[in-house]
Amino acid sequence: MKTLKLQIDSNIIILGYMGCGKSLISKSLANILNLKCIDLDHIIENKEKMKISEIFETKGELAFRKIEKEVLLDILKSSKKTVISLGGGTPCYFENMKIINSNSKFVFYIKNSNKLLSERLFKERGKRPVISKIESLDHMIEFVSKHMFERIHFYNMAKYKINAGQKKIEEIISEIIEILNQ
């Protein structure tokens, strides 16, 4: 795809469950739109000088979620026309989703079936400490289904929902660009 020049006057925020393709979609979209791309998890890791998994292990999830909110607020204050990829849990804590929606016109939830997410995550579980100990696809489906049940309410607060399914990245990005062009 070629670079496009749209009149974007707001951040573009990409959210969804882990394994849905947020990072790849965000980077590709930013590249096509010639915008900066920010991955919230990478910013947190640079700020804390440790991996997300290490923060969870050493400081605990609540401390991580507080850091995450602080970094999210900083990014939203300092960025105006940026593609921002959130962590899978970011929308689900504190008032994050309310803050996200009030700071951007373009909030996209990348939807996938629990089965597809589970299959992807099971293949790459070694790279993801939260799920590294899950030993069967059935257990992964159970894990993902439980998490999605807890998180779907927050994800559905996004203004736009993109059914990613088996679509190619180019198709997903075209759908997003079509919405941005309206």
Side-chain angles (χ1 to χ4, degrees), residues 102-113:
S102 67
N103 278 276
S104 175
K105 293 185 224 172
F106 305 114
V107 181
F108 293 90
Y109 163 35
I110 307 301
K111 290 174 68 167
N112 277 293
S113 72

Side-chain angles (χ1 to χ4, degrees), residues 2 11 52 54 56 60-61 121-122 146:
K2 63 182 193 316
N11 289 318
I52 299 293
E54 294 172 301
F56 266 77
E61 185 175 8
L121 292 169
F122 191 69
K146 179 186 176 291

Side-chain angles (χ1 to χ4, degrees), residues 4 15 32 37 80-81 88 144 146-147 155:
L4 296 172
L15 61 90
I32 290 163
C37 181
K80 285 294 163 247
K81 298 177 186 178
V144 170
K146 179 186 176 291
H147 258 179
Y155 294 162

Side-chain angles (χ1 to χ4, degrees), residues 139-152:
H139 285 128
M140 185 65 74
I141 291 170
E142 193 178 306
F143 177 87
V144 170
S145 297
K146 179 186 176 291
H147 258 179
M148 283 301 289
F149 178 77
E150 295 166 350
R151 294 179 174 190
I152 195 73

